[in-house]
Amino acid sequence: MSHHSTATLKPGLYIVATPIGNLGDITVRAAEVLAACDGVACEDTRVTGKLMKHLGLSKPLWRYDDHASDKDRIRLIESMSLRAVALVSDAGTPLVSDPGYRLVREAREAGVAVTSIPGPCAVIVGLTLAGLPNDRFMFGGFLPAKDKARRDALDELGSVPATLVFYETAPRLLRSLEAIGEILPNREIAVARELTKLHEECRTGSADELSNYYGAHPPKGEIVLLVGPPPPRDPSPDDAEGQLIEALETLKPSQAASLVAKATGLDRRALYARALELRGG
Ligand code: SAM
């Protein structure tokens, strides 16, 4: 299927990611699917209308979100057995803090072919910019707006051994940074703002540094807030003792001490002395 073909698409549901601010980020495949589909289910027909106009396309647009009535959703899914229906959100990847999961779930249940056309997603762009560990990350959606609920959410996520990623709004950023400073102190924080747009910015620092900065320079625009993982737990002497006892079952005291020193970062000579005691006793 080439860009300008009039190729038809097989009937089904096509989940299409769209730009998060820079129209140049539309993928070739997204543009092809939007050109070839029979209609587009979208959050806001005005927002999607602008994108379609930019692409030189005119298609039926149907307003859809997860609060749509069962009847509307069933009708939309029924139409997918005959027509190619694209699902887009206002920006980025549908279903990521955006409508669509009910539609996808019920389309699958109805045996409709579901295809995803990947593209921009603010979570991922934030992660690539922040320079925080990302071998593990956890997307936390939007933090709650109310103080108590926000603190509870941070408390709950605080023990997750991963970088936390949140969607945030400009008016709430400062209060979130303050809450993080209190509840998750000693974390590296990144504020990634206006991604892919003219005023793209990514600032890193402690929660206090960033609160000071944004207190003095109230932010505008769209924000991804990232919180680095908790510092590795100091191995407790008890852990080391257990490891030493286990190692001594098969190793000489000196070898056991070296092994446990490597695993825990504790002093090898102290471990060796303890190993001799354990062996003796
Ligand atoms: N589905 C979208 C995606 O894939 O990124 C996210 C939709 S969510 C309703 C909107 C939130 O995403 C914004 O409040 C902001 O936190 C984040 N966001 C979207 N575009 C952004 C951008 N260009 N820069 C920073 N954050 C953005």
Side-chain angles (χ1 to χ4, degrees):
M1 185 168 56
S2 86
H3 201 122
H4 296 288
S5 72
T6 50
T8 53
L9 283 174
K10 285 193 193 127
L13 172 59
Y14 294 81
I15 301 141
V16 180
T18 60
I20 57 169
N22 187 327
L23 287 173
D25 290 335
I26 188 89
T27 69
V28 172
R29 195 162 162 232
E32 286 174 350
V33 168
L34 292 175
C37 70
D38 296 300
V40 183
C42 57
E43 274 183 278
D44 183 330
T45 54
R46 275 198 8 233
V47 172
T48 299
K50 274 189 206 154
L51 175 68
M52 297 299 276
K53 194 163 167 219
H54 170 81
L55 297 172
L57 300 172
S58 165
K59 297 278 169 173
L61 303 180
W62 304 301
R63 215 185 90 75
Y64 175 80
D65 63 32
D66 283 322
H67 305 295
S69 71
D70 289 349
K71 219 175 80 190
D72 285 349
R73 187 163 40 249
I74 289 165
R75 204 164 38 213
L76 191 56
I77 290 169
E78 276 171 2
S79 76
M80 292 170 193
S81 58
L82 296 172
R83 298 198 272 183
V85 176
L87 172 71
V88 304
S89 49
D90 285 354
T93 300
L95 284 86
V96 180
S97 288
D98 266 338
Y101 96 90
R102 283 178 189 280
L103 196 66
V104 170
R105 180 207 287 258
E106 289 172 30
R108 301 186 71 83
E109 281 167 11
V112 166
V114 180
T115 308
S116 191
I117 289 82
C121 179
V123 179
I124 303 299
V125 182
L127 272 169
T128 60
L129 275 180
L132 293 171
N134 61 5
D135 50 331
R136 277 180 167 186
F137 64 87
M138 180 173 165
F139 176 52
F142 286 91
L143 280 168
K146 297 220 170 89
D147 260 9
K148 164 95 169 73
R150 184 197 284 120
R151 298 161 68 98
D152 289 350
L154 288 170
D155 206 39
E156 189 180 9
L157 294 173
S159 59
V160 176
T163 289
L164 305 175
V165 190
F166 299 103
Y167 283 159
E168 191 49 279
T169 67
R172 289 188 201 155
L173 176 66
L174 199 55
R175 269 174 293 161
S176 290
L177 287 171
E178 286 165 1
I180 290 167
E182 223 177 281
I183 294 162
L184 306 175
N186 307 320
R187 301 282 182 104
E188 284 182 80
I189 311 293
V191 174
R193 204 174 59 82
E194 291 290 89
L195 299 170
T196 75
K197 304 186 205 178
L198 188 60
H199 298 292
E200 175 174 293
E201 161 185 87
C202 182
R203 281 183 183 271
T204 57
S206 68
D208 289 350
E209 285 164 352
L210 292 170
S211 309
N212 287 339
Y213 178 82
Y214 286 108
H217 306 85
K220 286 190 196 139
E222 298 190 285
I223 293 168
V224 179
L225 175 59
L226 302 101
V227 181
R233 216 161 44 91
D234 284 340
S236 75
D238 290 354
D239 290 349
E241 177 97 357
Q243 289 180 34
L244 205 52
I245 290 168
E246 201 184 304
L248 281 170
E249 283 170 15
T250 54
L251 299 174
K252 289 194 273 192
S254 62
Q255 294 170 321
S258 295
L259 184 80
V260 177
K262 227 180 249 166
T264 62
L266 294 174
D267 181 57
R268 194 191 64 78
R269 276 190 305 178
L271 288 165
Y272 179 57
R274 183 65 190 139
L276 289 177
E277 274 174 33
L278 287 166
R279 178 51 69 82

